[in-house]
């Protein structure tokens, strides 16, 4: 939540900041602002409520002077509504210091009382930090020291960037439980909430650890801990190009990212399969626990949690290790039983979700070992875990997660196959067969996209007025039903619920009245699990009560035809692979419904992509 960018160097600060904010806008889009120090030493600040385009328009018609030191912010409101006044940057009391912030300062009321003699111009917690750092700068004459002393007073989660009129060519940053990475240029340096902020300028980046302070100048980067001890940060190469974070001709990022679902699965598999075996050297760091693990707990939120639910079916079936899936924000409040034989697997696209990060930290404190499944290099959750499996899905910009979901499921399946091989719970031949099925998924996903896209676009036109949709699935179809419902709520603002189809008669069937739209994931009749006839019976039960039914069913499954108003076909796949295919029509459905209602599918209301507050 909130995107942050900082720049020092010979280039145009406004260009770097606005380009960075455009790539970070997925993190928050209710207001935006920039501060730039021009060559005459004047500090120009411009900030506006609304999306970044409002600020961009204003800068074009009535701009501030450009310069070589600047900070920029795109906001997701926490303290104080989305107004011009609450937008960042905020200024110190003498107007010489500008500061931006991502996170929540929990002791802000106490600090505000201490600063009672100041005049407050906003309702934000951030302004407190700006006033504090401004005062401390006057005392110390050193921006890094002023920030260090200020963060010692702050409680909560924060990334803070600050710059001062009297210190041209310097931007300082501090982080605790919120993301910040450094971009290393030639004669210029950058700070950003993630590498998307500066990937257009450099692919060399450095991680900043927990409770660290960074000072960037055009030709130097210094990192220390909050106590002032020097730190040598880890450097890494950004694995994707700036163009990967651009729409590239697609009408929306979401449409582009849905089209990339086949590639996301292929990229997760790439380099990890050799001679019919899974090879995951990333797991070496936890090899000894993997050999003796007695229990796995997957922690995640939202779509990532549904990926975790799918992972459970496969990992438990293949490795025979008991596995639970829990929402991260519930996990640590129920005093779970954890020990050194428990493996806690976090699933997070951003690697920054605060609820998941806190749950990982809690699990480690309690002695469990932790594995992160993550998409974002340099993110906090992998850094705070014992091992990480990156999904390599490429940057996901649309707020609603799509390609990361199929890649997360793929990574969990690789983990399941690795565990089955280690424990000998599946024969090498069976593992090789399952690997082939997994490798076939990208091509099958291409077929689903070809067949489903235009068909769904056609019939959503007559469904745009729909007020409520029910999604049904059994076994691996159940998490997919939940994911379909979440996507529809999230981007099309339509009330939707996902149910396990077997649960219908225990209550939810009372919701069915004539015209109710129900989308059903129908398992393949060819998979030997006797689920197909049960789901077909469920469809008959709801049809008898007047429901309109859209079935997602395998090519050639004729049993559903008499009972469905529409059938979306997916290719045959084994039971664990079917849901990766079945979810794609649901992603398309939500996207088309939102488009039919004229909504912005990339930036749905009230949401932000990376939820860095609890
Ligand atoms: C839904 C969605 C969210 C995220 C959730 C976790 O489309 O995107 O439910 O899946 O906020 O985010 P990450 O995976 O970044 O931890």
């Amino acid at each position: 939540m909130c995107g942050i960018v900082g720049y020092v160097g010979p280039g145009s600060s406004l260009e770097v900041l606005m380009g960075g904010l455009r790539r970070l806008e997925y993190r928050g889009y209710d207001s935006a602002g920039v501060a730039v120090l021009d060559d005459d030493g004047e500090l120009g600040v411009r900030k506006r409520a609304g999306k970044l385009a409002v600020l961009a328009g204003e800068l074009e018609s009535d701009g501030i002077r450009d310069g070589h030191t600047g900070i920029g912010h795109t906001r997701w409101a926490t303290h104080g509504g989305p107004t011009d006044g609450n937008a960042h940057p905020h200024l110190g009391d003498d107007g010489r210091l500008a500061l931006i912030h991502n996170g929540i300062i929990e002791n802000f009321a106490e600090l505000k009382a201490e600063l009672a003699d100041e005049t407050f111009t906003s309702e934000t917690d951030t302004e407190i930090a700006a006033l504090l750092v401004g005062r401390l700068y006057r005392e110390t004459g050193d921006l890094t020291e002023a920030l260090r002393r200020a963060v010692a007073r702050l409680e909560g989660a924060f990334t803070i960037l600050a710059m001062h009129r009297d210190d041209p060519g310097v931007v300082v940053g501090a982080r605790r439980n919120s993301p910040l990475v450094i971009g290393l240029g030639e004669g210029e340096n950058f700070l950003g909430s993630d590498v998307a902020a500066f990937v257009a300028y450099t692919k060399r980046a450095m991680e900043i650890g927990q409770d660290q302070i960074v000072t960037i100048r055009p030709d130097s980067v210094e990192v220390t801990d909050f106590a002032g001890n020097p730190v040598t940060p880890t450097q890494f190469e950004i694995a994707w190009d700036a163009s990967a974070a651009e729409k590239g001709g697609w009408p929306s990022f979401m449409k582009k990212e849905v089209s990339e679902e086949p590639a996301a699965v292929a990229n997760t598999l790439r380099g990890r399969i050799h001679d019919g075996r899974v090879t995951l050297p990333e797991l070496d760091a936890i090899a000894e626990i993997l050999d003796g693990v007695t229990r796995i707990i997957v922690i995640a939120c939202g779509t990532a949690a549904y990926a975790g639910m799918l992972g459970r079916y496969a990992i438990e079936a293949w490795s025979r290790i008991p596995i639970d899936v829990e929402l991260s924000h519930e996990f640590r409040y129920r005093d779970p039983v954890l020990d050194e034989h428990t493996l806690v697997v976090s699933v997070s696209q951003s690697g920054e979700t605060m609820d998941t990060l806190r749950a990982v930290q809690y699990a480690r404190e309690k002695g469990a070992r932790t594995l992160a499944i993550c998409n974002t290099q340099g993110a906090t959750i992998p850094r705070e875990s014992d091992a990480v499996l990156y999904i390599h899905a490429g940057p996901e910009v649309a707020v609603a997660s799509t390609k990361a979901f199929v890649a997360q499921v793929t990574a969990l399946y690789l983990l399941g196959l690795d565990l089955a091989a280690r424990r000998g719970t599946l024969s090498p031949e069976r593992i090789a067969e399952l690997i082939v099925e997994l490798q076939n998924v990208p091509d099958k996903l291409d077929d689903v996209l070809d067949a489903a896209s235009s068909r769904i676009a056609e019939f959503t036109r007559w469904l745009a007025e729909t007020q409520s949709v029910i999604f049904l699935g059994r076994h691996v179809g159940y998490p997919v039903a939940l994911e379909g419902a979440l996507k529809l709520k999230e981007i099309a603002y339509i009330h939707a619920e996902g149910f396990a189809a077997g649960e219908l008669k225990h209550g939810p069937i009372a919701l069915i009245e004539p015209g109710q739209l129900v989308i059903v994931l129908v398992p393949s009749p060819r998979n030997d699990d006797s689920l197909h006839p049960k789901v077909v019976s469920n469809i008959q039960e709801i049809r008898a009560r007047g429901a309109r039914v859209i079935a997602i069913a395998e090519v050639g499954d004729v049993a559903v035809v008499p009972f469905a108003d529409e059938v979306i076909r997916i290719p045959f796949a084994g039971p664990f692979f079917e849901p990766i295919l079945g979810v794609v029509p649901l992603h398309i459905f939500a996207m088309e419904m939102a488009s039919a209602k004229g909504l912005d599918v990339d930036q749905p209301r009230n949401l932000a992509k990376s939820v860095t507050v609890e």
Side-chain angles (χ1 to χ4, degrees):
M1 309 215 150
C2 298
I4 276 185
V5 55
Y7 175 71
V8 283
S12 152
S13 285
L14 279 173
E15 198 180 303
V16 174
L17 299 179
M18 291 304 285
L21 291 181
R22 193 165 51 75
R23 287 197 193 83
L24 293 180
E25 202 183 7
Y26 69 85
R27 301 181 68 89
Y29 35 82
D30 59 38
S31 51
V34 290
V36 173
L37 200 54
D38 71 24
D39 290 343
D40 295 330
E42 291 298 323
L43 184 64
V45 177
R46 194 53 52 89
K47 50 188 195 170
R48 283 291 170 263
K51 292 195 174 173
L52 188 63
V54 177
L55 176 69
E58 167 120 359
L59 286 171
E60 236 167 63
S61 60
D62 175 24
I64 53 174
R65 289 185 59 194
D66 208 347
H68 305 296
T69 310
I71 53 179
H73 187 268
T74 177
R75 179 168 187 247
W76 186 86
T78 52
H79 282 76
T83 61
D84 288 353
N86 288 336
H88 304 202
H90 289 277
L91 299 179
D93 58 2
D94 56 8
R96 301 175 79 82
L97 170 121
L99 180 145
I100 54 179
H101 163 229
N102 169 27
I104 292 182
I105 298 169
E106 285 168 2
N107 58 337
F108 106 106
E110 179 194 321
L111 294 171
K112 191 167 185 173
E114 272 181 40
L115 296 167
D117 54 328
E118 298 277 6
T119 310
F120 294 93
T121 59
S122 80
E123 304 146 285
T124 64
D125 50 349
T126 305
E127 193 178 8
I128 311 292
L131 293 169
L132 202 57
V133 182
R135 279 185 176 195
L136 290 165
Y137 184 86
R138 279 202 297 277
E139 274 173 47
T140 60
D142 178 336
L143 193 53
T144 309
E145 185 55 28
L147 185 60
R148 187 184 326 286
R149 291 191 191 180
V151 293
R153 303 289 325 279
L154 305 183
E155 288 167 20
F158 48 81
T159 300
I160 289 174
L161 298 193
M163 56 187 278
H164 199 282
R165 259 185 81 153
D166 300 345
D167 256 331
V170 179
V171 172
V172 295
R175 78 167 284 257
R176 165 176 288 168
N177 285 328
S178 276
L180 185 62
V181 280
I182 307 167
L184 302 169
E186 298 293 333
E188 57 184 356
N189 288 305
F190 309 80
L191 293 170
S193 299
D194 71 45
V195 297
F198 47 72
V199 67
Y201 301 94
T202 181
K203 295 182 89 176
R204 283 190 307 137
M206 274 200 299
E207 297 177 353
I208 304 179
Q210 186 69 319
D211 287 2
Q212 291 180 357
I213 294 204
V214 56
T215 307
I216 57 165
R217 296 185 172 83
D219 50 8
S220 71
V221 170
E222 280 162 38
V223 183
T224 55
D225 62 19
F226 277 5
N229 303 306
V231 171
T232 310
T234 315
Q235 198 172 316
F236 64 95
E237 278 292 297
I238 303 168
W240 45 271
D241 291 324
S243 61
E246 302 287 344
K247 272 191 209 156
W250 291 89
S252 65
F253 278 108
M254 187 171 178
K255 201 155 194 166
K256 173 178 179 246
E257 287 157 13
V258 168
S259 82
E260 289 169 346
E261 293 198 42
V265 172
N267 289 339
T268 309
L269 295 176
R270 196 177 316 283
R272 289 172 164 162
I273 289 166
H274 299 100
D275 303 326
R277 284 184 300 119
V278 171
T279 36
L280 299 173
E282 300 96 322
L283 300 185
D284 288 352
I286 50 167
E288 130 229 0
I289 168 121
L290 292 182
D291 292 337
V293 65
T294 53
R295 182 163 167 240
I296 296 175
I297 304 177
V298 176
I299 48 172
C301 301
T303 286
Y306 302 145
M309 287 171 74
L310 278 178
R312 170 171 55 186
Y313 289 97
I315 296 173
E316 199 162 70
W318 294 339
S319 71
R320 307 311 299 151
I321 301 171
I323 167 165
D324 294 311
V325 182
E326 256 191 271
L327 296 171
S328 315
H329 37 86
E330 291 295 316
F331 167 73
R332 72 195 174 101
Y333 294 105
R334 66 170 182 84
D335 197 11
V337 177
L338 298 169
D339 60 24
E340 71 276 20
H341 301 298
T342 311
L343 177 67
V344 171
V345 180
S346 65
V347 184
S348 174
Q349 187 285 131
S350 61
E352 298 292 350
T353 298
M354 182 60 76
D355 292 315
T356 304
L357 172 62
R358 293 278 199 227
V360 168
Q361 290 168 337
Y362 175 87
R364 286 191 85 175
E365 273 162 37
K366 296 281 171 187
R369 303 302 293 272
T370 52
L371 168 66
I373 293 186
C374 183
N375 192 32
T376 312
Q377 284 175 290
T380 310
I381 294 172
R383 242 193 349 258
E384 302 237 347
S385 302
D386 296 308
V388 54
L389 265 187
Y390 282 108
I391 58 175
H392 302 305
E396 196 180 60
V397 179
V399 163
S401 190
T402 52
K403 64 175 178 174
F405 174 80
V406 292
Q408 286 160 346
V409 175
T410 305
L412 286 159
Y413 284 10
L414 287 173
L415 175 65
L417 292 169
D418 178 272
L419 289 168
R422 283 173 197 270
R423 312 188 138 229
T425 44
L426 292 180
S427 67
E429 295 73 30
R430 182 66 190 133
I431 290 176
E433 281 168 19
L434 289 166
I435 286 174
V436 171
E437 287 212 52
L438 201 45
Q439 286 175 312
N440 287 337
V441 166
D443 283 349
K444 292 183 182 179
L445 281 175
D446 275 329
D447 294 345
V448 176
L449 283 168
D450 285 348
S453 301
S454 50
R455 180 112 188 84
I456 294 175
E458 241 168 62
F459 70 70
T460 44
R461 258 179 254 134
W462 52 263
L463 290 175
E465 299 305 314
T466 304
Q467 302 287 315
S468 153
V469 182
I470 290 173
F471 292 78
L472 296 179
R474 264 177 192 258
H475 186 243
V476 289
Y478 173 43
V480 178
L482 295 173
E483 164 66 0
L486 174 62
K487 281 292 164 302
L488 193 64
K489 285 185 261 213
E490 183 182 19
I491 60 166
Y493 315 152
I494 293 172
H495 177 256
E497 285 199 68
F499 296 110
E503 191 65 7
L504 206 58
K505 55 194 171 301
H506 299 287
I509 199 164
L511 291 170
I512 306 291
E513 55 186 12
Q516 171 68 50
L517 185 61
V518 183
I519 301 189
V520 188
L521 280 302
V522 184
S524 164
R526 285 196 267 171
N527 283 326
D528 182 24
D529 48 19
S530 69
L531 285 178
H532 180 263
K534 295 203 172 68
V535 172
V536 175
S537 300
N538 294 143
I539 298 178
Q540 286 172 275
E541 286 154 18
I542 54 175
R543 270 291 282 233
R545 289 159 178 84
R548 286 182 297 167
V549 173
I550 298 174
I552 314 289
E554 186 200 318
V555 174
D557 177 358
V558 288
V560 292
V561 175
F563 313 114
D565 299 81
E566 287 286 343
V567 184
I568 304 296
R569 297 295 183 182
I570 58 173
F572 170 71
F576 296 112
F577 306 97
E578 202 170 58
I580 314 182
L581 308 184
V583 78
V584 174
L586 304 192
H587 287 164
I588 298 172
F589 177 69
M591 195 168 57
E592 293 297 342
M593 290 292 270
S595 302
K597 291 177 73 176
L599 299 171
D600 180 343
V601 298
D602 287 340
Q603 297 183 341
R605 68 184 176 204
N606 305 339
L607 290 167
K609 186 153 187 72
S610 183
V611 186
T612 54
V613 293
E614 279 183 271

